[in-house]
Amino acid sequence: MSLATSRNTQPNMTSIREWLVKKRESFGAHDFPPSSPSLMQNAIEPNITRSLSSRARLLGRRVSSITRPSRLLCSLCRDLSFCHISEELRNSPFSPNGIFLGWLPDNPNGCSLCLVLSQIRAEPQAAAESKQSAEARLQLRAFHLLPHMAELLTQDFSSKLVPPSFDVFVAVVPDHLSLLPGGPDEAMIRAVASKNGFLVYTDQETSIGRILSPRLVPPDFDPDIVKHWLRACQSHHGRCIFERRREPSLHLIDCQSQTILNVSDIESGSCPDYVALSYVWGASANQRRVISDGCVLPHTLPQVVHDSIQVTLMLGYRYLWVDKYCVESQDKAKKHEQLMHMDSVYQNAALTIVAAAGQDESYGLPGISKRRTPQQIVFKGKDFTLMSTLPLPHKSITDSRWASRGWTYQEAILSRRCLVFTDDQLYFECNSMSCCESFNIERDGGLHKMSPDLLFFTQPSLFSLKQLPFASVSNQEARLSNFFTYVNCTKEYSRRALSYDHDSLSAFSGIIRMLESVTVFPVRHIWGSPFFHPDDDNLPTDILESTYQNFQLAPFWKSPVIDYGSLLGEPRPSGQGVDYLAFLLLGLSWQHDSTLGPPRRRTDLPSWSWTGWQGAVTWPQFGQTSTVRTLPWMNTTVSLGDSSTESVPTMYHKTTDAHILTQSNKSLYIRTLEISRTAFVLVNSSNTLSLSTGYNVRLYPSKRDLDAPKVLRRIHSDRYKVIVLGSVDQDTYMMLTKKYRHSYYRIGTMVVNTAYLIAPLFTSQMKTYKLR
């Protein structure tokens, strides 16, 4: 007997439970097939699954319970044209406004489909009411899924990015909809998807050509899904596989015996496979003060550590690294040595568990110590299925407290593979792909075989290093890309918080070591300020270009010397070699983003370095064809000592170790032409700082309540000094400094158009500024 033989028959709940058990046994532990038959046979109205804990436990997944199958659809829901979706997709080109399915009732009357659609109705209802139309109505439309997925991932709606597919979702939208790029309702659709996920439509035809399909997320952690991701990565991703080295100071937790072991005591020809944990510490100072081989973990562990031990074992690993128990805290020298090797700890880990749920270590991992709350809906019609996805996890990860902490930034960036636990679902990202637990991506033959057009949806997006795209592989573009990667990392990192100011450089040292270790054009640093050094990247092409273009390859610490007797007046950009000083001065040209909060000085670190401030920083914008240069007629020099300009080149070899750097001088000496106090004026009509040659100055202060009139008065009184740095394309960047005794302290950045920065604005005197 079927569950429902007529619309007026109430099914026995015991028979429903028996049917669900049989379905689970026949379908397996992960997914119902998209074309599985309706729960109700020969019935017009569908049934809706909505949550009962007993039913969820019976299914072993976060689906909802079954409402009364006798409930009829309202007349408007019965008229919705779901049966036309497949035909429209076959015969119609892509349309941003989707496929019209029908009108919805003004007031949902409690039918099964109305209950489902009510969850995605609030934002469209508000949009319709805001139009102040007496006839404002809501409609249901079907849309291609992939363009909207792309928009959520990149904030760029472009159908050109997306190949044709049968991936479809339905959405409630207001009348007079306009989803063209920049249209008034585009943000509304994005807001609904960000909040609730997508309500995906599937029938027998669309299930064949689809790429993305929703997957029901179980209340408990399912290791088989993660093992599937790991096998695909380990088997097919060359970028995620490299030779690992043993670190003699590395300690690991043996999850089977709950003891702490030194890696040298583990019988293995190489570094053993282990899992690392990235999490937020709590307020408790409960930490083992001394690490000794074979010591047993405390009986009471933070919940996140306890859960991570379980996950490690469930995934088939034995060893776990947790800083609280694997880094020596009593011996400062050993602690420092281990902290300076954070890059190798996370790079060598087979997997990094990221605890992005909760506020700290006491919260644990959702799905392990606490079950995840049911959120998804499954609605089965006669010939189709609607299943909701969860919202993409990207926003919940970036909004988490874990993502607000400074140390966790490099922990994720340096890891080969990250498994992120959020309250809703798992997110996996390696160097080559990303996966969400609530979405199953259909790939021909497996996770590693995929159309190049579809790689967009699985490329790593949260923890990958951003680089400039190459138009051609030239030395200049490669340098710019490496420099861009460095400053973009500082931009992201500076938005995070640290408990201790003195950790500002140390918590970024793993990123520094990684970018200093690249083979071609490594990026060096002085107190976090990036630069290139001739010893690293004097390639044969540089020397040849400089020789045949009448260009003297400059020492690092001086401006390039240009032979203006050449036929071209000055060398072509492609033949200028490298202006090393310009890149160092570009590294000093950062500014604070005051929209993200006021900055604050970290007095233990130099004011001229971004590490010497708490607060979000930005850098000059440049692209793959940008020109980075100094003003050659200023004859600028930079050194770390008052008399020896050679101290910078010799110092850079030591800067890979932040501890050694902190023992060195924090002063930076810049010798350059002095800009006149009268070079700056105030435009009274707009209260704007300007050059006397007529171009407005963009002021980016790092001190509160520092406006243009105040800056001008203090420049005229000689209390403030302006130091010209370098140029990027058409803009020249200048450092605003405050004089205190015999030193100068950075308090802001100023930007002008290079064409207006002419010689009469400068005095004829060379001046040395000691920056602290």
Side-chain angles (χ1 to χ4, degrees):
M1 179 178 178
S2 63
L3 291 181
T5 57
S6 71
R7 299 176 185 172
N8 298 321
T9 303
Q10 296 285 346
N12 183 277
M13 292 305 293
T14 302
S15 63
I16 293 177
R17 293 191 180 95
E18 293 173 351
W19 182 88
L20 289 169
V21 171
K22 291 179 180 178
K23 281 295 180 186
R24 172 159 176 78
E25 291 173 352
S26 62
F27 290 157
H30 295 302
D31 295 285
F32 286 113
S35 57
S36 59
S38 170
L39 296 183
M40 299 175 56
Q41 300 176 0
N42 305 318
I44 295 178
E45 74 276 6
N47 58 68
I48 173 177
T49 53
R50 201 82 187 125
S51 170
L52 280 181
S53 58
S54 60
R55 204 69 33 71
R57 286 195 299 271
L58 188 61
L59 281 171
R61 44 176 94 250
R62 295 197 294 172
V63 294
S64 43
S65 72
I66 299 173
T67 57
R68 299 174 182 268
S70 62
R71 181 172 295 168
L72 298 175
L73 295 181
C74 65
S75 59
L76 289 177
C77 287
R78 274 199 306 271
D79 292 338
L80 294 173
S81 303
F82 288 106
C83 59
H84 295 160
I85 292 180
S86 298
E87 181 181 356
E88 291 280 351
L89 287 174
R90 282 196 308 270
N91 301 328
S92 301
F94 172 78
S95 171
N97 286 336
I99 302 167
F100 177 77
L101 301 180
W103 300 103
L104 297 179
D106 295 335
N107 298 304
N109 54 18
C111 84
S112 300
L113 187 52
C114 282
L115 290 175
V116 172
L117 300 179
S118 65
Q119 299 192 48
I120 57 174
R121 184 182 175 116
E123 287 83 0
Q125 183 76 50
E129 293 173 355
S130 67
K131 294 182 179 180
Q132 298 179 348
S133 172
E135 299 181 358
R137 300 180 63 187
L138 295 180
Q139 52 180 287
L140 190 69
R141 283 185 173 267
F143 300 92
H144 286 269
L145 176 62
L146 300 189
H148 291 272
M149 283 280 291
E151 183 187 21
L152 284 180
L153 291 171
T154 66
Q155 303 299 308
D156 178 26
F157 187 97
S158 175
S159 60
K160 296 179 181 178
L161 295 172
V162 183
S165 75
F166 284 92
D167 298 89
V168 183
F169 74 100
V170 299
V172 178
V173 296
D175 194 6
H176 307 299
L177 177 75
S178 174
L179 287 184
L180 294 173
D185 297 313
E186 186 181 9
M188 182 267 297
I189 291 289
R190 185 167 61 246
V192 174
S194 298
K195 178 181 177 182
N196 304 307
F198 296 96
L199 190 57
V200 178
Y201 169 89
T202 305
D203 60 20
Q204 187 171 2
E205 292 190 47
T206 60
S207 64
I208 298 174
R210 69 187 306 108
I211 297 163
L212 298 172
S213 59
R215 172 165 45 202
L216 291 171
V217 177
D220 298 317
F221 173 71
D222 185 351
D224 289 339
I225 295 175
V226 181
K227 288 179 180 179
H228 179 52
W229 295 335
L230 288 172
R231 282 194 300 269
C233 176
Q234 293 164 349
S235 301
H236 305 288
H237 295 163
R239 295 175 57 193
C240 304
I241 302 172
F242 53 85
E243 183 179 356
R244 295 176 298 147
R245 61 186 185 276
R246 275 180 180 260
E247 292 291 347
S249 61
L250 181 67
H251 286 79
L252 298 172
I253 298 172
D254 185 336
C255 296
Q256 293 181 357
S257 64
Q258 303 262 318
T259 57
I260 300 174
L261 302 175
N262 185 277
V263 68
S264 59
D265 297 329
I266 299 174
E267 295 182 2
S268 175
S270 59
C271 182
D273 286 340
Y274 65 91
V275 176
L277 176 62
S278 177
Y279 67 109
V280 178
W281 280 42
S284 171
N286 179 24
Q287 180 186 10
R288 296 193 66 87
R289 307 310 295 175
V290 180
I291 294 175
S292 59
D293 296 344
C295 66
V296 181
L297 288 176
H299 178 70
T300 302
L301 295 172
Q303 191 63 56
V304 72
V305 177
H306 182 273
D307 292 355
S308 297
I309 290 174
Q310 292 189 52
V311 171
T312 300
L313 294 172
M314 292 170 76
L315 293 178
Y317 297 102
R318 180 172 178 176
Y319 300 105
L320 174 68
W321 185 91
V322 182
D323 58 357
K324 181 175 290 246
Y325 301 104
C326 299
V327 173
E328 177 61 72
S329 60
Q330 188 174 34
D331 188 321
K332 292 184 177 180
K334 289 183 178 180
K335 177 182 178 180
H336 171 75
E337 178 188 1
Q338 293 168 358
L339 289 179
M340 288 302 102
H341 289 85
M342 287 296 95
D343 54 333
S344 63
V345 169
Y346 285 96
Q347 285 176 337
N348 289 336
L351 178 70
T352 296
I353 294 173
V354 174
Q359 294 297 305
D360 57 30
E361 60 189 16
S362 64
Y363 192 78
L365 301 177
I368 301 296
S369 55
K370 52 174 66 66
R371 307 190 93 199
R372 295 177 288 195
T373 306
Q375 295 184 44
Q376 291 172 275
I377 304 168
V378 178
F379 179 93
K380 292 184 178 294
K382 182 177 181 180
D383 299 313
F384 69 92
T385 299
L386 296 177
M387 184 185 295
S388 66
T389 71
L390 292 173
L392 292 177
H394 300 64
K395 189 174 189 303
S396 65
I397 294 173
T398 56
D399 290 347
S400 67
R401 188 164 187 268
W402 171 87
S404 72
R405 306 304 300 168
W407 280 97
T408 60
Y409 176 75
Q410 69 174 6
E411 293 169 4
I413 292 291
L414 296 171
S415 298
R416 287 183 291 166
R417 307 177 187 97
C418 288
L419 178 64
V420 186
F421 283 77
T422 73
D423 281 316
D424 299 327
Q425 62 176 310
L426 297 172
Y427 173 80
F428 176 85
E429 182 172 315
C430 65
N431 292 336
S432 303
M433 74 174 185
S434 63
C435 304
C436 300
E437 189 178 10
S438 65
F439 263 113
N440 183 42
I441 298 183
E442 300 296 340
R443 299 163 173 86
D444 296 331
L447 282 164
H448 63 287
K449 295 182 179 180
M450 196 171 191
S451 165
D453 292 333
L454 302 179
L455 290 175
F456 172 82
F457 294 98
T458 59
Q459 65 185 2
S461 56
L462 284 182
F463 311 130
S464 59
L465 291 173
K466 292 182 174 57
Q467 295 178 308
L468 288 175
F470 287 176
S472 61
V473 185
S474 70
N475 293 340
Q476 178 69 0
E477 288 183 357
R479 286 189 189 90
L480 284 170
S481 183
N482 287 0
F483 204 88
F484 173 85
T485 298
Y486 187 102
V487 299
N488 188 75
C489 287
T490 66
K491 177 181 175 182
E492 298 295 329
Y493 169 73
S494 67
R495 282 156 170 72
R496 299 182 173 219
L498 291 165
S499 298
Y500 305 101
D501 283 350
H502 58 74
D503 284 340
S504 177
L505 189 58
S506 298
F508 193 71
S509 61
I511 300 290
I512 290 174
R513 287 168 62 89
M514 176 183 64
L515 294 177
E516 281 187 331
S517 65
V518 299
T519 305
V520 180
F521 309 129
V523 183
R524 302 292 178 175
H525 83 107
I526 303 174
W527 290 100
S529 296
F531 68 92
F532 293 112
H533 196 279
D535 288 358
D536 292 322
D537 60 6
N538 268 358
L539 301 183
T541 52
D542 295 326
I543 299 172
L544 289 174
E545 285 178 352
S546 64
T547 300
Y548 290 106
Q549 294 294 334
N550 295 320
F551 178 75
Q552 176 184 332
L553 194 64
F556 161 73
W557 60 96
K558 290 185 178 180
S559 299
V561 178
I562 297 177
D563 180 6
Y564 285 96
S566 65
L567 294 177
L568 299 178
E570 61 179 290
R572 295 194 306 269
S574 61
Q576 285 187 357
V578 183
D579 189 343
Y580 297 100
L581 177 61
F583 278 102
L584 173 60
L585 296 177
L586 175 60
L588 300 175
S589 301
W590 52 272
Q591 61 203 41
H592 280 115
D593 186 350
S594 58
T595 63
L596 298 178
R600 178 182 62 80
R601 270 286 286 130
R602 291 174 171 138
T603 55
D604 290 340
L605 296 160
S607 68
W608 46 267
S609 169
W610 61 271
T611 62
W613 298 79
Q614 176 184 299
V617 299
T618 61
W619 299 77
Q621 293 186 356
F622 55 90
Q624 59 189 11
T625 60
S626 291
T627 301
V628 180
R629 60 191 177 92
T630 54
L631 301 179
W633 45 270
M634 295 191 65
N635 198 27
T636 302
T637 62
V638 179
S639 68
L640 293 178
D642 191 15
S643 58
S644 174
T645 58
E646 295 183 354
S647 58
V648 170
T650 57
M651 183 64 199
Y652 94 97
H653 293 288
K654 303 177 182 179
T655 59
T656 54
D657 192 324
H659 177 63
I660 295 178
L661 189 62
T662 57
Q663 298 175 351
S664 64
N665 196 338
K666 300 175 185 178
S667 299
L668 190 70
Y669 292 81
I670 298 181
R671 181 172 175 79
T672 187
L673 275 179
E674 182 180 18
I675 192 167
S676 172
R677 289 179 291 177
T678 60
F680 301 96
V681 296
L682 195 67
V683 180
N684 293 328
S685 58
S686 59
N687 224 24
T688 303
L689 199 63
S690 173
L691 290 176
S692 59
T693 51
Y695 188 83
N696 286 349
V697 176
R698 284 167 277 164
L699 174 64
Y700 301 96
S702 295
K703 291 185 64 178
R704 292 185 182 183
D705 305 322
L706 195 59
D707 55 13
K710 187 178 294 185
V711 168
L712 183 65
R713 288 196 303 269
R714 294 178 179 178
I715 289 176
H716 286 173
S717 67
D718 222 22
R719 184 177 175 186
Y720 287 180
K721 286 290 186 179
V722 178
I723 304 172
V724 177
L725 300 174
S727 299
V728 179
D729 297 330
Q730 305 303 317
D731 287 334
T732 294
Y733 292 79
M734 304 182 292
M735 183 187 296
L736 180 64
T737 65
K738 174 183 178 180
K739 185 177 181 180
Y740 181 70
R741 295 182 178 175
H742 301 294
S743 302
Y744 294 85
Y745 295 82
R746 182 204 169 280
I747 57 172
T749 300
M750 302 165 72
V751 186
V752 298
N753 187 294
T754 305
Y756 291 83
L757 201 63
I758 58 178
L761 297 178
F762 295 82
T763 68
S764 59
Q765 296 180 346
M766 297 292 293
K767 184 176 178 64
T768 299
Y769 299 90
K770 179 184 177 182
L771 298 175
R772 294 283 292 172

